[in-house]
Amino acid sequence: MTFGFAPSSAASTSSTDLSAASANPLARLLEPAEWAEAGIPLLRNPREVVSGLHSRHRPKPATAIVAVLDPDERLLASASFTRRPAPADGWMFRNTLLAQLRRVIPHDLRRRTPVRTAVLLYCREGDARWTEEDGAWMWGLRDACTLHGLRCGAYITLTRDGWQVLGEGRGGRRPNADSAPEPFATSESPPLLPRTGGAASEVLRRAAAR
């Protein structure tokens, strides 16, 4: 499921807010040490998650994939989109991620404690070392998760050298930005579907079907 990097209702705001948001984009990024100190939950099997998303979306450089996992790390919903050339800004990334989450899965804002986790995989040029662009994605993911009632999960980069979970030091050489997708059935567990009916269930069924 691929979406363009288009404006969303989440990005609608007053001119005053826009001016304030554009004042200091460097303040809206997180460094790996800050990310590690934020208590981001560790993935039990990061390679399985990365392989599953790589097989489903087949990302190329400048492609971002936001995915929502259940407590057993099974994929509930995901969306991929292409980042247009523009200065890295965590505030704009937050708005775009939030818009994608709203398209594919209902929010969990009524829960006292989040039970679902959002992770972000970003395929880009360069090596696995942290960049300011990565820091802006981290800031955006954390804020989007808060606004959608989700736990903020891992931020993963995918380059031609392989994949890397930023802030954790875990990674691997495959899959990478140039590798062919692995067989879908071996790289991703089937998504859990809710047992009850209703609009939320229908949204999840459609997301799983994609």
Side-chain angles (χ1 to χ4, degrees):
M1 184 177 194
T2 303
F3 297 110
F5 208 84
S8 70
S9 58
S12 298
T13 185
S14 68
S15 58
T16 302
D17 291 338
L18 287 171
S19 298
S22 60
N24 185 17
L26 291 180
R28 295 184 294 275
L29 60 81
L30 294 173
E31 296 189 4
E34 296 176 295
W35 185 255
E37 292 171 359
I40 306 299
L42 302 179
L43 290 170
R44 291 193 295 271
N45 192 337
R47 187 185 184 283
E48 182 176 322
V49 172
V50 173
S51 296
L53 295 177
H54 183 263
S55 297
R56 176 180 287 268
H57 293 279
R58 306 189 178 196
K60 298 298 181 184
T63 301
I65 304 169
V66 61
V68 179
L69 309 178
D70 74 4
D72 295 319
E73 290 191 1
R74 283 178 285 199
L75 181 64
L76 293 174
S78 63
S80 64
F81 53 96
T82 302
R83 162 161 149 64
R84 292 177 180 173
D89 188 322
W91 185 78
M92 295 302 296
F93 289 172
R94 183 278 306 274
N95 289 341
T96 303
L97 290 170
L98 185 59
Q100 302 299 334
L101 288 170
R102 286 173 173 169
R103 292 188 189 201
V104 298
I105 201 162
H107 67 73
D108 270 351
L109 294 172
R110 293 183 180 87
R111 291 183 177 272
R112 289 188 176 182
T113 304
V115 296
R116 300 184 294 188
T117 303
V119 301
L120 178 62
L121 185 149
Y122 183 51
C123 182
R124 61 167 173 77
E125 301 286 0
D127 57 32
R129 287 177 293 184
W130 179 89
T131 66
E132 288 186 353
E133 182 184 26
D134 294 325
W137 280 117
M138 290 172 165
W139 191 98
L141 176 64
R142 185 185 65 178
D143 222 38
C145 287
T146 298
L147 294 173
H148 206 62
L150 302 171
R151 289 201 310 170
C152 179
Y155 172 70
I156 307 159
T157 58
L158 186 72
T159 66
R160 289 182 169 84
D161 294 332
W163 57 273
Q164 180 83 13
V165 184
L166 269 286
E168 295 183 19
R170 293 191 292 174
R173 300 182 68 176
R174 294 184 68 86
N176 57 60
D178 293 329
S179 64
E182 296 180 359
F184 191 81
T186 63
S187 60
E188 179 181 291
S189 300
L192 278 181
L193 296 179
R195 296 180 180 178
T196 57
S201 299
E202 184 62 25
V203 170
L204 290 178
R205 289 192 186 97
R206 289 176 183 173
R210 291 166 188 159

